[in-house]
Amino acid sequence: SLPHNYMAAWFGTFGSRWRVCGPASCAVAELWDRGPAKRLNRIADLSPWVFEHVCGDLSAGLCRVEIEKENRP
């Protein structure tokens, strides 16, 4: 099963860890899937847990984030 802190993106290797920062906070997410649909022009799909920690209210649906490779194990 997926961890609670997963994300999907077109970059990176599966299982790699990424620091995701948004208006509410930062969280570390593991890359477990590919997406979002390229036609949407978005950089990542976040799990509900990561979205709430990084962006705040889940009902917002979208928010601006910065994503960088997490170098710690």
Side-chain angles (χ1 to χ4, degrees), residues 7 9 11 16-17 19 26-29 31 33 35-36 49 54 56 59 64-65 70 73:
M7 67 180 228
F11 54 84
S16 59
R17 296 165 54 91
R19 184 169 182 80
C26 294
V28 175
L31 182 61
D33 199 3
W49 186 90
V54 170
S59 68
R64 290 194 180 276
V65 297
E70 176 74 12

Side-chain angles (χ1 to χ4, degrees), residues 1-72:
S1 71
L2 292 173
H4 65 278
N5 62 326
Y6 62 91
M7 67 180 228
W10 291 102
F11 54 84
T13 56
F14 290 132
S16 59
R17 296 165 54 91
W18 298 83
R19 184 169 182 80
V20 183
C21 294
S25 185
C26 294
V28 175
E30 293 183 31
L31 182 61
W32 283 98
D33 199 3
R34 293 294 181 216
K38 290 183 179 181
R39 65 181 167 74
L40 298 176
N41 263 348
R42 298 180 186 149
I43 60 171
D45 281 337
L46 306 176
S47 71
W49 186 90
V50 173
F51 188 93
E52 285 183 334
H53 278 76
V54 170
C55 302
D57 187 9
L58 191 59
S59 68
L62 295 173
C63 83
R64 290 194 180 276
V65 297
E66 293 183 7
I67 299 176
E68 64 182 35
K69 184 83 166 84
E70 176 74 12
N71 293 319
R72 290 180 278 166

